[in-house]
Amino acid sequence: MDTLARYDIKFLKGVGESRAKLLASELGIHTFRDLIYTFPFRYVDRSRFYTVDELRPEMPMIQIKGHFIRFTEEGEGVRRRLKGLFSDGKRMMETVWFSRIRQIEGLYKPGEEYIIFGKPSLYRNVWSMAHPEIEKLDSSHPPHGLRGIYSLTEKLRDRQFSARTIGKMVERLLAHERFQNIRDTLPYEIVDAFHLMPLKEALINMHFPQSVENLRKARERMKFEELFYVELHILRFARERGRKIPGLVFPTVGDALWKFYSEVIPFELTNAQKRVLREIRTDMKSGKQMNRLLQGDVGCGKTMVAFMSMLMAFGSGFQSCMMAPTEILATQHYETLKKWGESVGVRVELLTGSTRQSVRNEIHSGLTDGSIHILVGTHALIEDNVEFRNLGLAVVDEQHRFGVMQRARLWRKNKAAPHILVMTATPIPRTLAMTVYGDLEVSVIDELPPGRKPVTTLLRFESQRQSVYSMIGNELKAGRQIYIVYPLVHENEKLSLKSLEEGYVRICDIFNQYKVCFIHGQLKPAEKDWQMNLFTSGKARIMVATTVIEVGVNVPNASVMLIENAERFGLSQLHQLRGRVGRGADQSFCILMTRPDIGGDTRKRLDIMTETTDGFLISEADMKIRGPGDMEGTRQSGLAFNLKIADLVHDGQIVSMAREEAIRVLDTNPALNAGETQTAITSKGEYGLRQLSPPSISMLLRELDIRFARSVDWSRIS
Ligand code: ADP
Ligand code: MG
């Protein structure tokens, strides 16, 4: 395949300089290889023709045979359009163009036979097709089989490119001698083991499927190949990093941890917490640097696990830090950790953007002389002038707000990189975790502390507002506290603040016998703290807020989360907000207030919230609705959304197969490792062996180079 990657697309017959430029700028096609890896996004059954009588609104792209009766132009300016009356011999329908009107009119002649492709739609009882693909009917060459439809851009259409143009270029390429001699991109050992379709056959079938079954096998092969190389790439560098960056060794857990465990914690750890602590402990004495992602639903007790891990560092004479995304959350963590720390002689301090200079100086010296054992803070803590005496563990809470680069800055806080524990309360779908966070080991807390009652979630419309308020009134009478959250509209901060303020005034008015606090992103930190304290201390019984409270706030007495304009929030955000209640022993409620006229998709999203409290199910559903590219964290990565054919929503099984195979191959073939032999991270060999021949290994290396030569080398970030 390397030969195809070396050939400029302009040398393909029928392309030339100017078309090559277009292909490069519009579709990213520079070489022979790029073209052949540009797959149809859909296939049409060429042997099946529909008649106008058979059309149904839910049909995808279909084809109809017939002729145009006449073309007429309608409308003016931007509303100008061209209509073509088209007949299948029995009934008529319309075709419509909103652009390229002049060209279309010149291109097709009434009376001649054509095939039109497109998605039919019914408007005022007339079937029509907008911007159909049109092909001359060639009776000497009857159409057969599946035909690929390639995606085009508006600019390409303007320059007379059709899906057929691309198809013809591919056809010429498949006949080219370079293609005839192409080598497989996967070692035969792997092709064999997984019964994959060989590359050449797969590429032919991707573009010109010989049957539905062949197309399925071809797609499976290409997806596997793509995911296998992504996994191999991620894992190779994770291992290289593991080799280059030695891990700090914590020989003992120390007395503080034992004392805390046996005398201080008022409850029993859940089995999941214990299991994760064992995993972390194993990393900390292994001699390799830990890079671990801790996933667990809101309220499962990650903070406890983080603190006990910090005690492990303390026990071996190391400092720790915990970084949180907001001041409120950092402050809350600080208060929890300080209390716990005091019980076992561990000094905890807080550093945020609003820490006064005098305090800041004290903290800096406490960190360098080692008298501060745990530092909690916001981004402020990765600033360059914050120096530790010997940082051993860095905990990052709520990963999705931090990028890989910020994680890497933590590694530099000690001569030997500290262990890193990244915690996220927005569960990440498994497939996403394996690609986007593929360089992290994953631990999961899949168990909530006992005695928690699942939160009851209710969908309510504006017309039911009074009954919602009377329910809130009852909870208040019973002594409970209430959150009321408004969405933040980024395009118009002033307006959203206005709706928040109006909401606040209304609530103060209705519940005038209770104190109401008011908190949003534009408050000064001191004011935010003050308002926050009103609520955590129980003085204020109602909090009216924007999503600043989304992460981490812990007030067990709160029993109602009322979310205004719930339709404006993403699923993960709603899940986070809901996690703020249900922390005490009593039944809690999450009320999603919404407009009555929400669309079907929005309704579906809100219904998911009322049906399940399982964060993993919700994040999977969220990914299905929004697509993996829009998930939190994905944007910083770069890998997951460059996938051309595999799809993290539907190809979960292939993702795991590809990852397991990549691990197997790396474990068995030290020659593949980016540096010398012997890896620092060795898996437990759970997937068995895959011994590759030397030519197979050099082929893998060559292919990795072609695919990822331009991407970031994660191992060098530190
Ligand atoms: P999260 O995982 O969302 O960060 P927290 O660490 O804030 O969860 O824990 C939520 C609450 O549960 C805290 O009040 C914490 O003290 C409590 N908690 C943690 N572990 C347990 C346990 N094993 N049993 C009972 N309560 C626990
Ligand atoms: Mg938390």
Side-chain angles (χ1 to χ4, degrees):
M1 203 66 193
D2 53 341
T3 49
L4 288 192
R6 276 208 302 264
Y7 283 84
D8 193 318
I9 193 67
K10 71 181 177 201
F11 296 121
L12 186 68
K13 203 163 149 260
V15 178
E17 291 281 356
S18 71
R19 280 185 153 190
K21 271 206 191 98
L22 265 178
L23 286 172
S25 66
E26 296 299 295
L27 299 178
I29 298 174
H30 304 271
T31 65
F32 280 20
R33 174 178 161 123
D34 293 338
L35 176 63
I36 208 138
Y37 268 77
T38 301
F39 303 126
F41 71 99
R42 184 159 40 203
Y43 299 85
V44 179
D45 184 353
R46 291 191 76 189
S47 57
R48 174 72 161 100
F49 290 98
Y50 286 82
T51 62
V52 177
D53 268 337
E54 291 174 303
L55 298 183
R56 297 287 173 270
E58 66 279 5
M59 279 182 172
M61 293 254 270
I62 47 94
Q63 57 180 0
I64 303 178
K65 200 160 40 177
H67 60 273
F68 287 103
I69 295 178
R70 63 168 176 271
F71 291 97
T72 44
E73 279 190 42
E74 291 179 11
E76 298 275 320
V78 288
R79 313 220 48 203
R80 200 165 79 106
R81 57 192 180 273
L82 177 69
K83 281 194 174 168
L85 195 60
F86 188 82
S87 164
D88 66 1
K90 274 206 196 121
R91 280 194 58 184
M92 290 193 279
M93 64 177 292
E94 276 179 356
T95 51
V96 195
W97 289 267
F98 301 98
S99 60
R100 294 190 303 134
I101 290 177
R102 187 95 36 81
Q103 290 105 306
I104 298 292
E105 263 185 305
L107 226 46
Y108 307 109
K109 311 257 170 315
E112 291 191 10
E113 293 277 349
Y114 294 103
I115 299 169
I116 62 172
F117 289 103
K119 183 168 167 42
S121 61
L122 192 59
Y123 182 65
R124 290 195 180 149
N125 257 341
V126 180
W127 283 104
S128 73
M129 214 181 252
H131 289 242
E133 294 254 343
I134 303 182
E135 206 176 295
K136 215 161 155 28
L137 185 66
D138 182 352
S139 48
S140 65
H141 216 29
H144 67 277
L146 296 170
R147 194 186 103 171
I149 307 288
Y150 299 87
S151 55
L152 291 174
T153 63
E154 207 41 48
K155 193 160 171 198
L156 284 170
R157 284 181 208 280
D158 283 346
R159 306 285 186 88
Q160 309 300 322
F161 270 75
S162 68
R164 193 72 202 112
T165 322
I166 308 275
K168 283 199 176 124
M169 290 182 338
V170 173
E171 219 165 47
R172 271 196 295 273
L173 184 47
L174 293 180
H176 200 283
E177 68 175 310
R178 294 286 161 209
F179 181 76
Q180 296 308 309
N181 299 326
I182 140 181
R183 269 174 293 182
D184 208 300
T185 39
L186 285 174
Y188 67 88
E189 294 94 333
I190 296 177
V191 172
D192 228 40
F194 289 87
H195 307 289
L196 296 174
M197 189 181 259
L199 181 67
K200 195 166 160 187
E201 200 185 334
L203 287 174
I204 292 172
N205 275 288
M206 285 304 294
H207 294 282
F208 300 101
Q210 283 145 356
S211 68
V212 172
E213 177 55 17
N214 276 7
L215 175 60
R216 191 189 63 75
K217 292 221 68 164
R219 288 175 60 85
E220 185 185 273
R221 138 91 209 202
M222 299 316 299
K223 286 176 177 185
F224 182 92
E225 170 183 316
E226 178 167 58
L227 292 167
F228 172 72
Y229 278 105
V230 166
E231 295 296 338
L232 198 61
H233 177 65
I234 297 173
L235 292 166
R236 252 177 111 228
F237 284 107
R239 287 175 187 220
E240 190 194 354
R241 191 183 64 208
R243 231 179 4 257
K244 274 201 206 151
I245 306 177
L248 300 167
V249 178
F250 301 168
T252 78
V253 297
D255 297 338
L257 181 66
W258 288 121
K259 178 156 190 261
F260 184 73
Y261 182 66
S262 52
E263 294 169 26
V264 183
I265 323 180
F267 41 70
E268 183 63 20
L269 294 180
T270 63
N271 286 326
Q273 284 172 317
K274 288 182 190 162
R275 187 188 65 239
V276 170
L277 279 165
R278 275 196 300 273
E279 287 166 357
I280 291 170
R281 176 67 198 130
T282 307
D283 285 353
M284 287 179 169
K285 56 183 180 191
S286 69
K288 69 176 189 185
Q289 185 220 7
M290 174 172 83
N291 274 283
R292 193 169 276 284
L293 175 68
L294 174 55
Q295 291 204 57
D297 224 333
V298 277
C300 71
K302 293 183 294 293
T303 318
M304 178 58 70
V305 169
F307 180 70
M308 292 177 73
S309 309
M310 291 170 153
L311 290 184
M312 292 179 197
F314 174 79
S316 293
F318 286 93
Q319 294 165 300
S320 305
C321 66
M322 182 189 252
M323 181 158 73
T326 64
E327 288 215 26
I328 292 180
L329 187 53
T331 308
Q332 228 180 23
H333 277 323
Y334 165 68
E335 273 153 18
T336 308
L337 266 49
K338 185 177 155 72
K339 198 175 68 207
W340 287 342
E342 272 165 5
S343 66
V344 289
V346 167
R347 180 171 167 207
V348 182
E349 293 295 340
L350 175 70
L351 182 71
T352 70
S354 56
T355 304
R356 279 202 322 275
Q357 193 55 48
S358 56
V359 181
R360 197 174 280 265
N361 292 342
E362 245 170 70
I363 289 179
H364 284 175
S365 64
L367 287 173
T368 39
D369 69 23
S371 60
I372 296 177
H373 306 115
I374 294 177
L375 180 68
V376 180
T378 54
H379 285 74
L381 133 187
I382 48 175
E383 274 162 23
D384 287 331
N385 61 0
V386 178
E387 277 173 28
F388 292 82
R389 180 153 174 266
N390 58 352
L391 182 65
L393 169 66
V395 179
V396 180
D397 196 15
E398 312 300 348
Q399 153 75 5
H400 57 277
R401 309 232 172 147
F402 287 99
V404 181
M405 296 297 186
Q406 282 157 320
R407 226 197 293 152
R409 289 184 73 176
L410 284 169
W411 301 346
R412 280 180 303 209
K413 287 288 173 192
N414 195 350
K415 282 186 290 297
H419 296 295
I420 308 274
L421 180 66
V422 167
M423 308 199 290
T424 169
T426 310
I428 301 160
R430 240 167 41 87
T431 53
L432 207 56
M434 282 191 274
T435 45
V436 180
Y437 301 109
D439 64 326
L440 301 177
E441 311 260 336
V442 180
S443 289
V444 179
I445 303 185
D446 48 8
E447 190 184 350
L448 290 178
R452 298 268 170 89
K453 285 214 183 78
V455 178
T456 299
T457 304
L458 307 166
L459 183 59
R460 289 292 181 261
F461 300 96
E462 204 50 49
S463 57
Q464 296 161 299
R465 188 171 282 282
Q466 282 319 314
S467 75
V468 168
Y469 284 157
S470 71
M471 179 186 156
I472 288 178
N474 289 338
E475 290 293 310
L476 287 167
K477 268 186 220 128
R480 314 307 303 271
Q481 285 168 280
I482 314 290
Y483 292 104
I484 300 177
V485 176
Y486 283 80
L488 197 78
V489 189
H490 286 293
E491 312 88 71
N492 195 334
E493 301 242 342
K494 274 210 186 97
L495 205 71
S496 59
L497 198 59
K498 185 160 163 270
S499 75
L500 182 73
E501 274 163 0
E502 282 168 4
Y504 172 69
V505 170
R506 180 164 58 179
I507 292 298
C508 291
D509 191 35
I510 296 173
F511 300 107
N512 51 23
Q513 67 272 50
Y514 302 102
K515 188 160 181 56
V516 183
C517 70
F518 180 62
I519 186 163
H520 58 84
Q522 276 139 344
L523 292 181
K524 295 224 169 61
E527 176 67 13
K528 239 187 253 180
D529 280 351
W530 166 253
Q531 295 283 343
M532 200 67 213
N533 275 331
L534 283 178
F535 196 68
T536 46
S537 66
K539 282 192 203 105
R541 301 282 297 282
I542 304 176
M543 175 195 282
V544 175
T546 56
T547 45
V548 287
I549 63 157
E550 184 188 333
V551 273
V553 178
N554 189 18
V555 179
N557 186 46
S559 66
V560 178
M561 167 65 66
L562 170 61
I563 304 174
E564 296 282 352
N565 294 108
E567 74 278 359
R568 299 230 193 119
F569 292 87
L571 272 181
S572 300
Q573 243 183 337
L574 290 175
H575 182 62
Q576 280 294 318
L577 287 170
R578 178 167 62 186
R580 299 306 114 212
V581 293
R583 295 177 162 243
D586 287 6
Q587 179 63 57
S588 298
F589 302 90
C590 173
I591 304 169
L592 309 173
M593 271 308 251
T594 180
R595 292 182 288 127
D597 57 337
I598 48 173
D601 270 358
T602 310
R603 177 69 198 239
K604 230 189 283 169
R605 214 167 36 161
L606 297 176
D607 282 342
I608 291 169
M609 289 302 295
T610 62
E611 285 156 16
T612 181
T613 52
D614 181 327
F616 277 93
L617 284 181
I618 289 171
S619 73
E620 298 270 350
D622 205 17
M623 182 165 83
K624 277 185 190 139
I625 293 170
R626 290 201 284 166
D630 278 335
M631 299 293 287
E632 307 273 16
T634 315
R635 266 155 279 156
Q636 296 136 359
S637 153
L639 282 171
F641 45 74
N642 281 334
L643 294 177
K644 273 193 156 172
I645 171 160
D647 149 10
L648 296 180
V649 177
H650 300 107
D651 299 326
Q653 214 184 342
I654 308 181
V655 178
S656 345
M657 270 170 33
R659 183 171 176 88
E660 284 165 21
E661 181 61 15
I663 293 174
R664 205 178 281 132
V665 162
L666 284 174
D667 279 352
T668 322
N669 304 276
L672 269 175
N673 293 313
E676 293 100 293
T677 50
Q678 214 33 65
T679 55
I681 302 175
T682 47
S683 89
K684 293 126 232 147
E686 54 191 309
Y687 302 119
L689 300 176
R690 174 81 65 226
Q691 189 77 52
L692 298 179
S693 66
S696 289
I697 288 173
S698 32
M699 180 254 271
L700 282 181
L701 291 172
R702 212 170 34 235
E703 183 69 18
L704 280 168
D705 200 43
I706 292 174
R707 287 176 180 254
F708 302 108
R710 271 164 298 173
S711 74
V712 186
D713 175 354
W714 302 113
S715 71
R716 304 254 158 72
I717 286 177
S718 62

